[in-house]
């Protein structure tokens, strides 16, 4: 019994020191000059712009990667037109963005599409900027968050098997109807879970975006890169204010995540 | 019949789009970085890698990542055990908190640690009175890495413990094994695959970590400059070839770890 | 619907699941595909359904080749092994699915669902979800769902495999009755010979991808065309040196001929139980007896040959070690090149022996 108390106490302590105290410290830091310091930090034009950029990136990336993630999961699990070997290789490659440092992810896009590269020069002449502009930042975030939805959806698809879909085919339903009426209800909550995780990752993406964006104030700066810049400028209150907004959004997403997890288990 | 043809066209369109997206977004960039780093020939690659600061940053990263992984393996195993085996008020709250480091932006994590360990904080001043500094030194980097990779081991061990049949443990007791012996011979071996694969993922993530580290490391070349920050610096100082060379080194290491973990998991699944 | 299959082949990698299978199914028949697990039955069924594409061969419905028709267009009802009910839909939504896909109007769908729930005895369960139903009820839902769009052909993959043995009997006769009433051509897959014999008009025995024999259950029992069929249907023992048994000496003409003897081919008893056929019997010794509920199962040894047979409970009880007379009425003989049924020669012409 004493052992039990000891372990529970120790674990709670570790959680408190490692996770909760730092989080509270941000709150304290944001308000160390009162409400005014916080609101001044958040309502600066560059902060508003940065939050808007983060929002744009999060929404567009989440939408694109959800659609492609679900489709690719379906293909990797179900498709008969892909050989087993091809599927296994693709399955291994899907995880790559998890293994790649975000900075490297950003570097890849700079190398491939930056002004010094062939493709970048071509696009630049056509008047399309990728690197140091929004498209590059979206691309970098797409890369980083690519595996998340797939890793959530694939196991569920594997577990439920293809018989219900085949049953729908036998009753005359084509791929589209089958997907929406049979497959989607089965994977719905896993997709929601994947979407939330993707969203959280988009909000928080830093390294890749920092490299690709060039961190230009009021142009390509996102909330996380603004926090970075504020810290570099020793403006800790401002940094804390923006960080608090980000942290609040993340914690909110975490709560939704817990809720969708419980829904996922029900179905 | 028209229905059928329409459906074929659609599915063909979907397939090609998804495959194209996959190749362009994932395969091309990774292939690109390998091509870029070897574009100047092996010699240029070796020169870039051979640079003293590059080497030092990679070695430092590996060393600190190993330390933080060891810490997380211990904490993670304990936490997973407590969360699965004991019922106590606040358990589900702790369980939800585990995912916090995945949800929080890494830059925010860096800032948190900066505030917590800074010279004005009680931890920072406490350390100073003992004659050491944490912030902008190696310990701060380890703290950042531990925080960021906190969930991996827990999340890998939890399902294994939940699956573990209570009867296996009971069987050990009926055979006269002590609690300690049962733990070492029955429970620990069952958790081991989770600890190992979780630790490997944590290690790989620690190697790659940038956001949390860049803010607390101080980034003194040769002393507290980790690999990902080195790469960032090379990009900033317009030396993409140098950045690419170190990237390839780091990337290859991470890939090896990732594929080993996948292999281990697939083995287990069989 | 009349179904015709010609030269059907299917391989998965290097494994050939179906080899040159050919058959015809007349309209309204109920056919059982019977064979050991992994023998290719389900592959045949799935190719008929269009869920699997044959490597070669033709599938013809109503004189029209349907190989290139997707499953959606074939007008087939399919009952899956584990029913594959839509978990997130109620019973009536499950049944209505195929009708909604076919864009029936609402009133007609409602009527059809009501008819089918009535027919399958699911009335009152319409708004339940699959996880709230028993195994038997789920099977009925799967059946009703497959029938809803008025298919011309009904395919059932191991329809009773997931059901408790007790209810299985009940469901079998229910299904038989239902299919008779609807007059729909049906093919079902099973590995259980009792099930096939009890339910099917005709049985097709499938082994290692080959169609071994097709015929009514009685024909297959009485006149098995291959050793596999003979061994698979009913109980039997294989006797290597069949020529050593009295009355089967002619079996020695072809070297390597073995005999397959069913328990019901054998009669045993005390000397006085045999009157005129005594000369055709052999002396054996009872080695084991087992009580089988409605009869005795007796294991008996005749000159080193082990045989099994049944014995009525009405007759005198035998004991292990007893000496008994054994009469083998007939044996199914086979060797590498041929197979045939041989009657006991001494028994065929008993008068000859008596004179």
């Amino acid at each position: 019994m004493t052992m039990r108390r000891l372990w529970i106490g120790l674990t709670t302590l570790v959680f408190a020191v490692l996770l909760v105290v730092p989080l509270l410290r941000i709150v304290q830091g944001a308000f160390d000059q009162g409400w005014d310091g916080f609101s001044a930090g958040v309502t600066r034009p560059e902060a508003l712009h940065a939050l808007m950029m983060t929002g744009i990136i999060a929404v567009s990336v989440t939408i694109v990667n959800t659609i492609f993630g679900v489709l690719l999961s379906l293909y990797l699990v179900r498709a008969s037109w892909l050989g087993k070997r091809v599927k296994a290789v693709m399955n291994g490659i899907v995880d790559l963005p998890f293994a790649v440092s975000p900075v490297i992810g950003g570097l890849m896009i700079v190398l491939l599409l930056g002004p010094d590269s062939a493709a970048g020069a071509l696009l630049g002449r056509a008047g399309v900027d990728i690197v140091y502009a929004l498209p590059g930042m979206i691309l970098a975030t797409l890369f980083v968050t690519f595996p998340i939805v797939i890793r959530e959806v694939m196991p569920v698809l594997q577990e439920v098997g293809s018989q219900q879909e085949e049953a729908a085919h036998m009753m005359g339903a084509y791929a589209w109807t089958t997907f929406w009426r049979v497959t989607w209800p089965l994977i719905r909550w896993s997709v929601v879970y994947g979407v939330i995780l993707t969203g959280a990752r988009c909000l928080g993406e830093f390294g890749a975006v920092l490299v690709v964006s060039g961190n230009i104030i009021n142009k390509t700066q996102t909330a996380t890169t603004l926090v970075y810049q504020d810290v570099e400028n020793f403006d800790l209150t401002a940094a804390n204010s923006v960080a608090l907004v980000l942290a609040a959004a993340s914690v909110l997403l975490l709560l939704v995540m817990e809720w969708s997890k419980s829904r996922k288990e029900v179905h | 019949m028209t229905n059928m043809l329409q459906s074929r066209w659609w599915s063909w369109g979907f397939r090609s789009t998804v495959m194209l997206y996959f190749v362009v977004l994932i395969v091309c960039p990774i292939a690109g970085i390998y091509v870029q780093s070897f574009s100047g020939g092996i010699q240029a690659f070796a020169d870039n890698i051979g640079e003293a600061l590059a080497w030092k940053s990679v070695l430092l990263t590996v060393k600190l990542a190993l330390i933080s992984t060891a810490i997380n393996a211990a904490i993670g195993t304990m936490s997973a055990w407590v969360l699965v085996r004991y019922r106590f008020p606040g358990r589900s709250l702790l369980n939800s908190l585990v995912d916090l480091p995945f949800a929080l932006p890494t830059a925010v994590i860096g800032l948190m640690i900066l505030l917590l360990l800074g010279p004005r904080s009680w931890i920072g001043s406490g350390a100073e009175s003992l004659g050491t500094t944490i912030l902008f030194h190696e310990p701060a980097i380890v703290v950042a890495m531990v925080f960021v990779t906190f969930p991996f081991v827990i999340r890998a061990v939890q399902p294994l413990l939940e699956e573990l049949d209570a009867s296996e443990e009971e069987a050990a007791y009926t055979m006269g094994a002590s609690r300690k012996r049962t733990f070492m011979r029955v429970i620990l071996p069952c958790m081991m695959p989770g600890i190992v694969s979780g630790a490997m993922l944590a290690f790989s993530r620690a190697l790659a970590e940038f956001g949390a580290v860049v803010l607390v490391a101080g980034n003194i070349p040769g002393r507290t400059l980790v690999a990902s920050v080195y790469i960032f610096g090379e990009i900033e100082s317009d030396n993409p070839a140098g950045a690419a060379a170190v990237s390839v080194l780091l990337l290859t290491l991470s890939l090896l770890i990732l594929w080993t973990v996948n292999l281990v998991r697939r083995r287990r699944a069989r | 619907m009349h179904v015709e299959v010609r030269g059907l082949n299917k391989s998965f990698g290097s494994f050939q699941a179906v080899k040159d299978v050919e058959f015809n199914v007349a309209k309204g028949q109920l056919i059982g595909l019977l064979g050991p697990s992994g023998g290719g039955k389900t592959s045949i069924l799935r190719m008929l359904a269009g869920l699997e594409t044959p490597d070669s061969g033709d599938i013809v419905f109503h004189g029209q080749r349907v190989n290139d028709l997707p499953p959606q267009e074939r007008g087939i009802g399919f009952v899956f092994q584990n029913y594959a009910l839509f978990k997130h839909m109620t019973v009536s939504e499950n049944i209505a699915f195929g009708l909604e896909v076919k864009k029936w109007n609402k009133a007609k769908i409602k009527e059809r669902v009501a008819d089918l729930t009535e027919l399958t005895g699911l009335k009152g369960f319409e708004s339940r979800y699959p996880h709230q139903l028993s195994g038997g009820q789920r099977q009925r839902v799967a059946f009703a769902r497959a029938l809803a769009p008025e298919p011309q052909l009904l395919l059932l993959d191991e329809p009773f495999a997931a059901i408790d043995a007790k209810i299985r009997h009940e469901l079998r006769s229910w299904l038989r009755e239902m299919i008779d009433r609807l007059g729909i051509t049906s093919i079902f897959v099973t590995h259980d010979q009792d099930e096939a014999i009890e339910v099917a008009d005709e049985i097709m025995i499938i082994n290692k991808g080959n169609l071994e024999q097709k015929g009514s259950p009685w024909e297959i029992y009485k006149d098995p065309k291959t050793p596999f069929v003979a061994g698979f249907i009913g109980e039997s023992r294989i006797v290597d040196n069949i020529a050593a048994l009295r009355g089967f000496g002619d079996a020695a003409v072809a070297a390597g001929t073995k005999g397959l003897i069913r328990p019901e081919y054998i009669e045993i008893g005390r000397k006085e139980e045999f009157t005129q056929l005594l000369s055709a019997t052999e002396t054996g010794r009872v080695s084991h007896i087992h009580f089988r509920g409605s009869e005795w199962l007796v294991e008996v040894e005749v000159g080193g040959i082990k045989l099994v047979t049944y014995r009525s409970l009405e007759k005198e009880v035998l004991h292990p070690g007893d000496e008994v007379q054994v009469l083998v009425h007939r044996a199914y003989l086979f060797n590498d090149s041929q197979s045939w049924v041989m009657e006991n020669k001494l028994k065929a012409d008993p008068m000859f022996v008596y004179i």
Side-chain angles (χ1 to χ4, degrees):
Chain A
M1 222 45 200
T2 47
M3 281 294 273
R4 185 190 125 103
R5 285 237 179 99
L6 177 73
W7 289 124
I8 294 175
L10 202 57
T11 305
T12 315
L13 186 73
V14 167
F15 274 69
V17 170
L18 207 58
L19 302 177
V20 180
V21 171
L23 198 60
L24 295 177
R25 192 63 189 76
I26 286 274
V27 181
Q28 190 203 339
F31 290 107
D32 65 356
Q33 288 169 24
W35 174 259
D36 292 340
F38 171 73
S39 70
V42 173
T43 54
R44 293 172 290 166
E46 60 263 40
L48 290 176
H49 187 269
L51 286 169
M52 186 189 73
M53 288 299 279
T54 296
I56 292 173
I57 293 173
V59 170
S60 52
V61 166
T62 305
I63 291 171
V64 173
N65 264 347
T66 303
I67 295 171
F68 280 103
V70 170
L71 280 172
L72 194 66
S73 312
L74 278 173
Y75 291 156
L76 285 179
V77 178
R78 297 270 193 269
S80 51
W81 50 274
L82 277 172
K84 264 197 188 132
R85 286 274 165 74
V86 181
K87 277 188 199 168
V89 169
M90 284 180 69
N91 202 2
I93 296 177
V94 164
D95 284 328
L96 288 187
F98 280 160
V100 174
S101 174
V103 180
I104 300 176
L107 173 65
M108 290 171 179
I109 286 162
V110 173
L111 288 178
L112 276 184
L113 299 170
D116 296 337
S117 69
L122 208 68
L123 286 165
R125 224 173 294 150
V128 185
D129 289 329
I130 302 280
V131 173
Y132 309 128
L134 187 61
M137 295 156 72
I138 290 179
L139 217 53
T141 317
L142 281 176
F143 175 83
V144 171
T145 58
F146 180 72
I148 299 174
V149 171
I150 298 174
R151 282 290 158 258
E152 290 303 321
V153 175
M154 266 182 72
V156 181
L157 280 175
Q158 270 157 349
E159 201 194 300
V160 297
S162 56
Q163 280 209 339
Q164 295 186 48
E165 285 153 32
E166 285 177 348
H169 290 324
M170 291 313 301
M171 287 184 267
Y174 278 94
W176 189 251
T177 319
T178 306
F179 177 78
W180 284 114
R181 299 234 15 217
V182 178
T183 316
W184 173 250
L186 294 172
I187 60 172
R188 186 165 48 189
W189 289 104
S190 307
V191 174
V192 169
Y193 192 61
V195 163
I196 296 161
L197 282 174
T198 308
R201 190 66 209 270
C202 290
L203 287 186
E205 187 38 48
F206 174 60
V209 167
L210 183 64
V211 171
V212 170
S213 69
N215 204 8
I216 308 162
I217 295 185
N218 283 334
K219 215 180 139 220
T220 63
Q221 197 165 49
T222 65
T224 50
T225 59
L226 175 63
V227 170
Y228 172 67
Q229 199 201 336
D230 283 340
V231 173
E232 297 282 279
N233 296 341
F234 299 107
D235 189 356
L236 282 185
T237 308
N240 276 319
S241 312
V242 179
L244 182 61
V245 173
L246 280 175
S250 307
V251 171
L252 190 72
L253 284 176
L254 190 71
L255 291 176
V256 180
M257 202 158 93
E258 288 299 317
W259 171 75
S260 75
K261 219 192 261 177
S262 62
R263 287 304 304 251
K264 202 168 76 170
E265 275 152 22
V266 171
H267 283 259
Chain B
M1 226 32 195
T2 50
N3 228 354
M4 179 183 134
L5 287 177
Q6 216 179 0
S7 141
R8 283 204 180 151
W9 273 107
W10 271 106
S11 60
W12 190 85
F14 271 128
R15 285 172 197 181
S16 343
T17 318
V18 171
M19 288 297 139
L20 193 70
Y21 182 79
F22 179 75
V23 169
V24 168
L25 190 76
I26 306 298
V27 180
C28 277
I30 292 175
I33 203 153
Y34 278 90
V35 170
Q36 168 79 25
S37 63
F38 289 106
S39 61
I42 296 287
Q43 191 54 46
F45 176 75
D47 286 347
N48 276 317
I49 290 290
E51 181 133 353
L53 287 182
W55 253 127
K56 277 190 177 164
S57 70
V58 172
L59 285 181
L60 177 75
T61 313
V62 171
K63 182 181 92 180
L64 297 181
L66 279 176
I67 296 172
S68 58
T69 303
I71 295 174
N72 260 334
I75 295 181
T77 309
M78 175 187 80
S79 309
W81 172 262
V82 169
L83 288 176
V84 173
R85 283 308 175 92
Y86 298 141
R87 294 288 172 273
F88 55 97
R91 190 186 73 98
S92 62
L93 177 72
L94 290 193
N95 200 13
S96 307
L97 272 178
V98 172
D99 289 325
L100 190 68
F102 281 167
L104 284 178
T106 52
V108 173
I109 294 171
L111 180 60
M112 282 177 177
I113 294 166
L114 184 73
L115 292 173
L116 209 64
L117 305 180
R120 280 185 291 165
S121 72
W122 56 267
I123 298 178
S125 52
E128 215 141 272
S129 66
L130 290 174
T132 58
T133 33
I134 299 176
L135 197 64
F136 305 135
H137 285 74
E138 288 179 4
I141 303 177
V142 172
V143 171
M145 284 177 172
V146 167
F147 190 101
V148 168
T149 59
F150 185 70
F152 284 107
V153 176
I154 302 182
R155 289 296 183 232
V157 174
Q158 263 180 331
L160 296 183
L161 269 180
E162 272 157 16
E163 265 171 42
L164 177 68
D165 203 345
S167 61
E168 262 179 70
E169 236 179 298
E170 285 159 5
Y173 291 137
T174 59
M175 286 183 272
S178 66
R179 287 191 80 93
K180 193 178 155 199
R181 203 181 161 79
T182 307
F183 182 83
M184 297 307 283
R185 297 291 298 276
V186 178
I187 300 170
L188 198 63
C190 151
M191 292 197 284
M192 219 49 205
I195 299 175
V196 171
S197 70
M200 286 177 91
L201 287 176
F203 179 67
S204 153
R205 176 71 203 271
L207 282 185
E209 185 45 39
F210 173 70
V213 171
V214 72
L215 286 174
V216 299
N219 310 324
I220 306 154
R223 299 230 344 255
T224 61
L225 187 68
V226 297
S228 59
V229 183
Y230 176 84
I231 295 168
F232 178 63
E234 291 298 288
I235 301 169
E236 294 285 276
S237 51
D238 220 1
N239 178 17
V246 178
S247 298
V248 162
L249 203 63
L250 213 56
L251 192 54
T252 311
L253 199 57
S254 306
L255 291 186
L256 288 178
I257 295 169
L258 185 75
W259 280 328
T260 316
V261 172
N262 279 350
L263 205 71
V264 170
R265 288 208 174 146
R266 223 168 296 153
R267 279 265 173 77
R268 241 180 59 77
R270 265 179 224 158
Chain C
M1 173 151 71
H2 179 264
V3 177
E4 194 183 343
V5 167
R6 290 189 294 246
L8 202 64
N9 278 291
K10 176 75 185 174
S11 301
F12 297 101
S14 59
F15 172 69
Q16 193 166 9
V18 177
K19 292 175 204 158
D20 268 328
V21 166
E22 305 208 343
F23 60 85
N24 273 296
V25 177
K27 190 173 185 308
Q29 268 192 317
L30 174 54
I31 303 289
L33 287 180
L34 175 65
S37 309
K41 300 163 302 202
T42 299
S43 298
I44 295 173
L45 207 67
R46 289 174 62 87
M47 282 190 275
L48 288 175
L51 294 170
E52 217 74 73
T53 321
D55 297 338
S56 64
D58 297 319
I59 296 170
V60 179
F61 294 166
H62 273 322
Q64 194 198 350
R65 189 174 178 272
V66 297
N67 283 43
D68 301 321
L69 225 50
Q72 290 89 343
E73 310 275 325
R74 293 197 185 186
I76 291 176
F78 200 113
V79 176
F80 287 84
Q81 183 167 358
N82 296 308
Y83 317 134
L85 297 179
F86 304 132
K87 285 195 284 187
H88 57 287
M89 295 185 197
T90 61
V91 168
S92 50
E93 283 167 345
N94 262 289
I95 299 173
F97 182 88
L99 307 176
E100 285 166 15
V101 167
K102 294 226 155 62
K103 306 227 162 56
W104 283 30
N105 73 46
K106 285 229 169 89
K108 257 181 92 186
I109 292 178
K110 218 175 157 191
E111 197 190 309
R112 179 87 177 134
V113 171
D115 285 351
L116 281 166
T117 44
E118 178 82 61
L119 181 77
T120 52
L122 287 165
K123 220 166 174 350
F125 295 96
E126 289 94 337
S127 50
R128 292 227 188 156
Y129 285 92
H131 66 91
Q132 298 166 317
L133 300 174
S134 72
Q137 287 168 330
R138 280 181 219 176
Q139 211 246 11
R140 286 160 194 250
V141 178
F143 185 71
R145 185 178 75 167
L147 286 178
E150 297 172 337
Q152 303 262 0
L153 172 66
L154 184 65
L155 303 177
L156 307 103
D157 188 2
E158 299 273 7
F160 308 107
I163 291 179
D164 294 347
K166 260 190 173 172
I167 321 168
R168 211 182 291 176
H169 278 279
E170 206 178 296
L171 264 176
R172 267 187 215 159
S173 36
W174 175 81
L175 187 75
R176 166 83 252 192
E177 208 176 290
M178 203 60 37
I179 287 172
D180 277 348
R181 197 175 339 157
L182 298 166
I184 181 174
T185 314
S186 307
I187 301 177
F188 72 99
V189 157
T190 180
H191 63 271
D192 180 344
Q193 52 157 317
D194 293 343
E195 197 169 296
I197 289 169
E198 195 176 311
V199 178
D201 295 324
E202 277 201 352
I203 294 176
M204 289 196 263
I205 308 269
I206 312 282
N207 179 42
K208 292 183 181 155
N210 292 302
L211 173 55
E212 300 264 342
Q213 191 173 354
K214 178 172 182 283
S216 72
W218 172 240
E219 276 165 17
I220 286 183
Y221 171 81
K222 192 182 58 170
D223 188 17
K225 294 276 187 258
T226 67
F228 175 80
V229 174
F232 192 74
I233 289 285
E235 278 186 70
S236 60
R237 275 280 163 100
I238 304 256
V239 178
D240 288 342
N241 50 339
I242 183 78
L245 278 175
R246 275 185 75 132
F248 294 91
D250 289 359
V253 287
T257 299
K258 294 178 183 178
L260 181 145
I261 303 177
R262 298 190 193 285
E264 54 270 35
Y265 290 174
I266 303 173
E267 226 175 298
I268 55 167
R270 310 272 184 206
K271 272 203 173 99
E272 50 287 8
E273 289 176 34
F274 293 91
T275 47
Q276 56 193 70
L277 289 174
L278 190 64
S279 60
T281 65
E282 265 194 276
T283 308
R285 191 172 293 280
V286 175
S287 51
H288 289 285
I289 63 163
H290 311 271
F291 179 57
R292 273 291 175 85
S294 54
E295 66 209 344
W296 292 104
L297 182 84
V298 184
E299 289 182 41
V300 62
E301 251 186 85
V302 180
I305 298 171
K306 286 180 179 159
L307 298 170
V308 273
T309 183
Y310 306 129
R311 184 170 164 89
S312 165
L313 298 178
E314 299 300 322
K315 294 189 177 165
E316 185 198 336
V317 178
L318 298 173
H319 300 281
D322 287 358
E323 195 169 278
V324 287
Q325 295 308 114
V326 179
L327 172 61
V328 179
H329 287 279
R330 73 186 68 79
Y332 176 81
L333 303 185
F334 61 94
N335 55 34
D336 293 341
S337 52
Q338 54 178 334
S339 59
W340 68 98
V341 175
M342 181 185 264
E343 296 289 331
N344 187 325
K345 239 184 145 203
L346 301 173
K347 180 199 141 197
D349 196 2
M351 295 312 286
F352 169 77
V353 181
Y354 262 76
I355 290 167

